[in-house]
DNA sequence: TCTGGGGTCCTAGGACCC
DNA sequence: TCTGGGGTCCTAGGACCC
């Protein structure tokens, strides 16, 4: 059987661990630039606050103290995620980390699944302070449905097991087709137009018809709902195909200097991410966008990909390429709101061919980059950067409601006082 | 005034080759 | 001027996920 552990309202729960006064209150976490809602507590959901709701529409409630709002603090969430995953791994062995707040794992089916799952959930929650739910079923898609039910119905007490065909069919009947993992808004619209309303209706369609309408992806979902496992994640085996760093700016800008400053920071971040994974890339893409929510302004969406002469994770090479691409796409007369850098054609560094003309180049690069990474780790991101990178700050993201880095910054460590 | 960031997979269609 | 089948590779766009 397959288990899925999923943290409840993860970002909100991370904020609550260090601020117990937030328990029972409506809490939301906002995206970069405090733009829109990306996480909600159950109380906030009950108020009808939608995922992705623009923050300015909630301003009155936030200012009045009716909702507690926080800027997203991904350093904190990443660290809490590592703790949750570490605890789960200690309890069940191999896990497949599917996202920052959820992981699949195998669980033997000849044991008391309900009891064991509840024990896992309790121990992870007690060790980390993060409430979690567990779904168990024969396939990943059904485990998702079980997990959803475990969260939605308090009677399940955080755990739902689908281990008989009877339970499977009942779960499918209670699940709207659009709530199935792999069926998004477009396809669920299409399905409803065909009077396919529930996961049960979908699973009863002829397989060949699903294949024709939705291609192989839809067919896999169909199989999984019918208890035939066919989605394999195996995320550890395959290295990422591309790595991207992009941001919306705090304010729009038409200045090449501002864009170059942003693109430099994004390129350095991509190179850092490559090194952290022990990978190298052979292509760099820079893209820029104007503000699509301002139809009154001239719009521009542009990107340019630069092939590298050899695979690398050297910040200097990637930064040069990214800035070169920026010069090709930059047009004055537009107010840009967002930019990003993508590195692609990624392979493990171990597979790189040595340079024919300078067999020292890799060693030199590794020494320098290793030193930069070590200093940035010690003194904080951006402490050391290349002199060639422009330094305007205008593009910086705005985070006015940021919580402290309780777990990753000694200056922010929580202080316990006693009288 | 104010609307996130980082990924994956699949398909269709064009360019090119024999 | 007419006549063909079968491949590969690449890209853009669509759909999905958290």
């Amino acid at each position: 059987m397959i288990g899925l552990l999923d943290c409840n309202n993860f970002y909100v729960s991370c904020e609550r661990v260090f601020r117990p006064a937030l328990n029972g209150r409506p809490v939301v976490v906002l995206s970069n630039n405090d733009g829109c809602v990306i996480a909600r507590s159950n109380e906030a959901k009950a108020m009808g606050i939608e995922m992705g709701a623009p923050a300015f529409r909630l301003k009155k409630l936030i200012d009045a103290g009716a909702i507690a709002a926080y800027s997203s603090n991904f350093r904190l969430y990443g660290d809490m995620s590592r703790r949750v995953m570490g605890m789960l791994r200690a309890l069940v062995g191999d896990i497949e980390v599917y996202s920052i707040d959820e992981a699949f794992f195998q669980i033997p089916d000849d044991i008391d699944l309900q009891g064991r799952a509840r024990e896992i959930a309790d121990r992870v929650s007690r060790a980390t302070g993060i409430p979690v739910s567990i779904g168990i079923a024969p396939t990943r898609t059904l485990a998702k449905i079980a997990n959803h039910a475990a969260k939605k119905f308090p009677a399940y007490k955080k755990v739902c097991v689908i281990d008989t065909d009877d339970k499977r069919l009942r779960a499918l009947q209670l699940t709207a087709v659009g709530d199935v993992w792999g069926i998004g808004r477009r396809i669920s619209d299409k399905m409803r137009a065909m009077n396919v309303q529930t996961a049960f209706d979908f699973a009863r369609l002829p397989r060949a018809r699903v294949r024709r309408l939705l291609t192989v992806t839809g067919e896999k979902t169909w199989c999984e709902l019918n208890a035939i496992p066919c989605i394999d994640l195996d995320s550890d085996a395959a290295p990422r195909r591309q790595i991207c760093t992009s941001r919306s700016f705090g304010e729009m800008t038409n200045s090449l200097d501002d864009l170059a400053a942003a693109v430099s920071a994004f390129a350095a971040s991509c190179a850092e991410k490559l090194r952290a994974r022990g990978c190298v890339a052979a292509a760099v893409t820079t893209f820029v966008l104007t503000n699509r929510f301002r139809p009154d302004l001239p719009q521009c969406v542009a990107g340019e990909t630069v092939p590298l002469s050899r695979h690398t994770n050297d910040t200097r090479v990637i930064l040069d390429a990214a800035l070169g691409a920026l010069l090709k796409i930059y047009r004055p007369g537009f107010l840009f709101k967002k930019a990003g850098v993508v590195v692609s054609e990624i392979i493990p560094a171990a597979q790189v061919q040595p340079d024919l003309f300078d067999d020292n180049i890799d060693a030199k690069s590794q020494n320098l980059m290793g030193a930069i990474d070590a200093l940035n780790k010690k003194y904080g991101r951006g402490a050391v950067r290349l002199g060639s990178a422009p330094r305007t700050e205008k593009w910086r993201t705005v985070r006015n409601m940021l919580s402290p880095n309780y777990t990753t910054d000694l200056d922010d460590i929580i202080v316990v006082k006693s009288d």
Side-chain angles (χ1 to χ4, degrees), chain A residues 238-387:
Chain A
R240 285 217 192 292
R241 303 167 62 86
Q242 54 180 26
I243 289 173
C244 170
T245 302
S246 71
R247 291 285 179 282
S248 295
F249 305 146
E251 50 185 305
M252 296 184 284
T253 178
N254 62 1
S255 136
L256 181 57
D257 271 356
D258 287 340
L259 290 173
V263 164
S264 299
F266 301 157
S269 156
C270 283
E272 226 174 276
K273 291 176 185 173
L274 282 170
R275 295 197 290 272
R277 291 172 176 279
C279 287
V280 286
V284 178
T285 304
T286 298
F287 63 86
V288 292
L289 295 86
T290 46
N291 188 346
R292 67 196 163 100
F293 295 104
R294 291 289 301 273
D296 53 314
L297 298 175
Q299 295 291 310
C300 173
V301 176
E304 174 79 18
T305 300
V306 177
L308 304 176
S309 58
R310 54 200 301 272
H311 282 87
T312 186
N313 57 24
D314 189 310
T315 299
R316 297 166 296 177
V317 178
I318 289 169
L319 199 152
D320 271 357
L323 287 177
L326 174 65
L327 288 180
K328 282 194 188 167
I329 54 180
Y330 173 72
R331 299 279 176 278
F334 292 100
L335 283 169
F336 293 98
K337 175 66 178 170
K338 178 174 179 174
V341 173
V342 183
V343 290
S344 51
E345 290 174 44
I346 294 173
I347 60 170
Q351 284 176 22
V352 175
Q353 305 287 327
D355 190 285
L356 279 179
F357 303 104
D358 183 357
D359 51 14
N360 240 341
I361 193 169
D362 290 313
K364 282 189 230 159
S365 162
Q366 271 170 33
N367 286 341
L368 177 58
M369 294 302 129
I372 291 180
D373 289 342
L375 287 170
N376 281 337
K377 193 170 178 194
K378 188 164 176 188
Y379 296 108
R381 170 160 291 168
V384 177
R385 53 187 171 184
L386 297 185

